Amino acid sequence: MKSVHALHRGALAGMLAALALFAGTPQAHAEEGVKIGLILDMTGVYSDISGKGSVTAAQLAIDDFGGKALGHNVELVVGNSQGHADTAATTAREWFDVKHVDAIMDVTGSSAALAVLNIARAKGKILFLSGPASDRLTGDLCTPTSVHYAYDSYALANSVARTVANQGGKRWYFITADYAGGHDIVGAARTALGQSGASVLGEVPVPLGAADFSSAVVQAQNSGAGVIGLASFGGDLVNVVKAAREFGVRPGGPQRMASLLMYINDVHAIGLQTAQGMVLSEAFYWDMNPQTRAFSRRYYEKVKAMPNMSQAAVYSSVLHYLKAVQAANSTDATVVMRKMREMPVSDFFATNGRIREDGLMVHDMYLFQVKSPAESKYPWDYYKLLATIPADKAFRSLAQSGCPLVKP
């Protein structure tokens, strides 16, 4: 007969085994509910392209899902990094360690995103990114639980650079934001231009939030390039385009401007008279079809502006995440990521989207040209579609990703 101590030990072992089994099952989740975070630029040069608009998009997705997941309320928390990497990293660490945030669904700016990526990797947490451009997010720095959702440097630069080069724009000069996102997107453009038989005559870096772009514009004008490639973003892009027009870079002139990342908010801020004729690539346009218009009108009622591709992608990614949490019956990052890869992304943002093993969500991209004032028929009627680029052509192949998680 077993001793009482042996029986107690056996019972205790059984209880511990049962608890361990329960903790490892998909049913286990935080009792305080599902927490989603956004680390955005709420007040700086990127506030128009992320900021209040991204918060609104995320909340619309939560509301459309019913406000609950796994029987608990879904809570949205927002941090203002102003694009600073150290602030974003500090916020992410506190959220994961203290506030028990389950997933961060966007970070504004590539440098800030790369800083948060390292923390999400260490903590084993889910990170979605729809604002930053850097290819490294799904390249050498990819993680098992991060997703690059809206676009990347390759998709934007490849489509714009190739199209303009094929239209005769063979000599380029770049005005480049002097940080990770700017350099990555110009690097991708250089590769595409080289493959298209075009050349790059030079490049001038400009710091984030530069007060004066006149020197950079003059250098680009004096380069002899036929195309001034713009790799500045947000408020900086608005200011450099206005400066270029003031210095005589006009539609139909000897030099044209091509933006490697331009949002509809930027066009609105610049105005059609100044922005007309510019070529750009986007993952979303509010006036594409009945589905995009239906969402955008709801969004407009709250923000008084049409959504850009990053803001639309925030809605889509939050909804995709919540669907996966509910389907997996778990907030465990590994379990939810597996479910998100299994589920296609099919909504107004992407009709044929899928999350690859390197974390890149691949979908169709679109090439647009900014309309002239005479071509625009109603408010926010800014783009005419030049081409639809299928997902397998828009993004680099899985073999090209450089992600160590990809099986050879």
Side-chain angles (χ1 to χ4, degrees), residues 113-127:
L114 290 167
V116 173
L117 185 76
N118 289 330
I119 295 167
R121 182 204 313 276
K123 305 292 182 183
K125 292 288 189 174
I126 285 176
L127 173 64

Side-chain angles (χ1 to χ4, degrees), residues 341-354:
R341 287 194 174 95
E342 292 172 359
M343 298 165 54
V345 180
S346 183
D347 55 24
F348 69 83
F349 178 78
T351 56
N352 62 342
R354 63 183 180 87

Side-chain angles (χ1 to χ4, degrees), residues 43-72:
T43 54
V45 296
Y46 295 152
S47 57
D48 280 349
I49 61 177
S50 60
K52 177 185 175 182
S54 293
V55 177
T56 299
Q59 191 61 55
L60 279 171
I62 292 168
D63 294 344
D64 287 351
F65 193 72
K68 292 180 178 290
L70 306 182
H72 296 281

Side-chain angles (χ1 to χ4, degrees), residues 112-254:
L114 290 167
V116 173
L117 185 76
N118 289 330
I119 295 167
R121 182 204 313 276
K123 305 292 182 183
K125 292 288 189 174
I126 285 176
L127 173 64
F128 270 66
L129 297 162
S130 292
S134 177
D135 293 336
R136 298 191 68 191
L137 295 165
T138 53
D140 62 313
L141 298 180
C142 69
T143 84
T145 55
S146 60
V147 180
H148 207 177
Y149 201 84
Y151 63 90
D152 66 5
S153 297
Y154 179 95
L156 295 173
N158 186 56
S159 56
V160 173
R162 286 184 186 278
T163 299
V164 175
N166 292 338
Q167 293 175 345
K170 298 294 188 181
R171 292 159 60 83
W172 287 62
Y173 189 95
F174 287 103
I175 298 175
T176 307
D178 194 13
Y179 52 89
H183 294 297
D184 282 355
I185 202 167
V186 168
R190 283 177 176 270
T191 299
L193 290 170
Q195 294 170 349
S196 302
S199 61
V200 177
L201 304 186
E203 177 181 0
V204 55
V206 291
L208 177 66
D212 184 6
F213 288 90
S214 58
S215 176
V217 170
V218 169
Q219 289 183 60
Q221 284 182 301
N222 293 338
S223 68
V227 183
I228 301 175
L230 304 180
S232 292
F233 318 118
D236 286 351
L237 175 62
V238 172
N239 290 333
V240 74
V241 172
K242 289 181 176 178
R245 295 303 194 211
E246 289 173 3
F247 277 81
V249 182
R250 306 290 185 193

Side-chain angles (χ1 to χ4, degrees), residues 19-59:
L19 287 170
L21 179 63
F22 177 77
T25 61
Q27 284 76 21
H29 54 79
E31 289 300 322
E32 61 266 31
V34 180
K35 289 187 178 181
I36 292 172
L38 296 170
I39 302 177
L40 306 172
D41 181 356
M42 301 297 293
T43 54
V45 296
Y46 295 152
S47 57
D48 280 349
I49 61 177
S50 60
K52 177 185 175 182
S54 293
V55 177
T56 299
Q59 191 61 55

